[in-house]
């Protein structure tokens, strides 16, 4: 995307408005992605800060991208994995596989009409029955909008495997909610875009990382 490339080039050049835009438009999604690996909000927020500090320091030496969100997700996942063992030695926290957690607040927002409530309940139960990797790939594909080559790189699987996993997962969801059309399943999946987050989570308001 031309606009993404232009914003990223400004970010690399040290443009403060571009830094602010990239930081605040992606912080919450990065947190939601990171907390699914390690259930330690402060650790994840520290990792996000580290990512932006490193990116700002790298500046013009950063690679090009036309998908900033993917670039940030990849950097965050690498940072989490790099710091996980070090932090494990310093303090105790729970290390989790990728989890897709839903709550009643999501259901309430998703379904505004009583006639839709049964479909949402079926979908929520279906999502909870998926494996961790199935949840992850549905999240990345239909809620973050990543392309298959980006997903395959993040999940360290082949492009073909990513496509097959998405197909199988959608088929499972369709079967579990009564054989409904794939388009309807994907519509509901794409609407579930908020998660049950830790109560102490808050998106920083005063300035961006590295400033």
């Amino acid at each position: 995307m031309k606009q993404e490339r232009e914003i990223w080039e400004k970010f690399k050049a040290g443009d403060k408005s571009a830094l602010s835009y990239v930081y605040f438009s992606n912080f919450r999604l990065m947190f939601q992605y990171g907390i699914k690996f390690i259930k330690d909000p402060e650790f994840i927020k520290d990792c996000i800060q580290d990512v932006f500090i490193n990116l700002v320091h790298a500046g013009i030496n950063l690679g090009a991208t036309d998908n900033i969100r993917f670039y940030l997700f990849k950097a965050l996942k690498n940072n989490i994995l790099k710091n996980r063992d070090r932090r494990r030695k310093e303090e105790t926290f729970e290390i989790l596989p990728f989890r897709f957690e839903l709550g009643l607040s999501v259901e309430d927002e998703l379904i505004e009409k009583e006639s839709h409530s049964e479909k949402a309940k079926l979908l929520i139960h279906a999502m909870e029955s998926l494996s961790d990797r199935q949840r992850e790939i549905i999240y990345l594909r239909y809620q973050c909008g990543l392309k298959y080559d980006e997903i395959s790189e993040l999940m360290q699987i082949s492009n073909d495997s990513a496509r097959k996993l998405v197909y199988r997962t959608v088929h499972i969801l369709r079967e579990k909610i009564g054989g409904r059309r794939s388009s309807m399943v994907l519509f509901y999946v794409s609407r579930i875009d908020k998660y049950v987050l830790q109560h102490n989570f808050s998106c920083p308001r005063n300035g961006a990382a590295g400033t």
Side-chain angles (χ1 to χ4, degrees), residues 80-112:
I80 289 172
L81 295 177
K82 182 181 73 173
N83 289 303
R84 181 176 59 182
D85 291 338
R86 177 177 60 82
R87 289 294 297 269
R88 183 189 294 164
K89 295 176 182 178
E90 296 174 359
E91 57 188 88
T92 301
F93 57 83
E94 186 179 3
I95 297 177
L96 300 173
F98 191 100
R99 303 300 298 174
F100 188 106
E101 298 177 354
L102 297 174
L104 292 178
S105 60
V106 176
E107 183 178 340
D108 292 340
E109 183 172 359
L110 176 63
I111 302 140
E112 297 177 355

Side-chain angles (χ1 to χ4, degrees), residues 1 3 12-13 15 39 54 57 64 66 77 84 86 95 104 111 115 123 149 160-161 163 172 175-176 191 199 204:
M1 303 177 195
Q3 184 179 14
K12 290 167 57 178
D15 183 275
K39 199 171 184 178
N54 292 337
H57 286 168
D66 60 359
K77 187 172 184 178
R84 181 176 59 182
R86 177 177 60 82
I95 297 177
L104 292 178
I111 302 140
S115 61
L123 179 60
D149 59 334
D160 186 56
S161 295
R163 290 178 182 274
I172 290 170
E175 291 300 310
K176 286 185 176 291
R191 291 287 303 278
H199 291 300

Side-chain angles (χ1 to χ4, degrees), residues 13-27:
D15 183 275
K16 289 187 176 181
S17 62
L19 170 59
S20 180
Y21 172 81
V22 171
Y23 184 75
F24 287 110
S25 62
N26 288 283
F27 185 96

Side-chain angles (χ1 to χ4, degrees), residues 3 8 43 78 82 92 105 118-119 138 153 196:
Q3 184 179 14
W8 187 244
F43 173 75
N78 288 339
K82 182 181 73 173
T92 301
S105 60
E118 189 59 32
K119 294 176 183 176
I138 288 293
E153 187 171 344
V196 180

